[in-house]
Amino acid sequence: MGGVPTRAGRRFIRRLADEKKLPVYAFVDGDPYGYSNIYRTLKVGSGNAAHINRFFCVPQTRFLGVTPQDILDYELPTHPLKDVDVKRAKDALKNDPFFQRHKPWQKALRQLLQMGVRAEQQ
């Protein structure tokens, strides 16, 4: 999708998932943006469109990407977290209901912050 999925893209994917029973996977970078902006928006929708998210989110979306534990287990190449990454992760942990309810994603963001790195998909 090339970044945060648009409403049109999410609606199309939702229809494919619902009507054609196609599996949906989010393949994103191992960084706060990939987790909190791309994956989360596809799976549960956006805060700005909460009143219409039921049409645009794809709850059956499965995560397919690099986790902080993968970085450690497979000694993956990384880049340092940028200030914007740190801000995004801290904001998600503090303010985002998705991350507040999903302990594994809290752990992933905290682990990235502790490690101070991110991994990109190529």
Side-chain angles (χ1 to χ4, degrees):
M1 287 179 285
V4 176
T6 64
R7 287 182 185 177
R10 288 184 285 149
R11 180 68 180 136
F12 179 67
I13 292 167
R14 172 72 183 256
R15 289 193 65 194
L16 288 174
D18 288 349
E19 295 173 18
K20 300 298 181 184
K21 307 299 183 214
L22 293 175
V24 177
Y25 298 95
F27 184 67
V28 303
D29 289 343
D31 64 11
Y33 186 83
Y35 302 158
S36 67
N37 288 70
I38 300 172
Y39 170 68
R40 178 218 171 277
T41 300
L42 182 61
K43 187 166 183 75
V44 299
S46 82
N48 291 337
H51 60 293
I52 53 175
N53 274 339
R54 69 180 183 273
F55 302 112
F56 299 107
C57 67
V58 188
Q60 58 269 56
T61 300
R62 305 280 305 206
F63 177 79
L64 176 65
V66 175
T67 67
Q69 194 60 49
D70 291 334
I71 293 170
L72 296 173
D73 291 346
Y74 303 107
E75 299 176 10
L76 299 176
T78 60
H79 303 280
L81 284 179
K82 299 175 183 176
D83 290 343
V84 68
D85 294 321
V86 172
K87 182 181 182 309
R88 185 172 285 123
K90 287 180 177 180
D91 182 59
L93 288 167
K94 182 179 179 185
N95 300 313
D96 191 311
F98 176 79
F99 289 95
Q100 291 170 350
R101 276 182 261 162
H102 293 89
K103 301 290 184 197
W105 284 110
Q106 288 177 28
K107 180 182 175 187
L109 286 177
R110 287 189 179 107
Q111 193 172 9
L112 278 183
L113 289 170
Q114 180 183 16
M115 293 165 50
V117 298
R118 59 188 170 86
E120 295 182 2
Q121 304 288 0
Q122 300 298 331

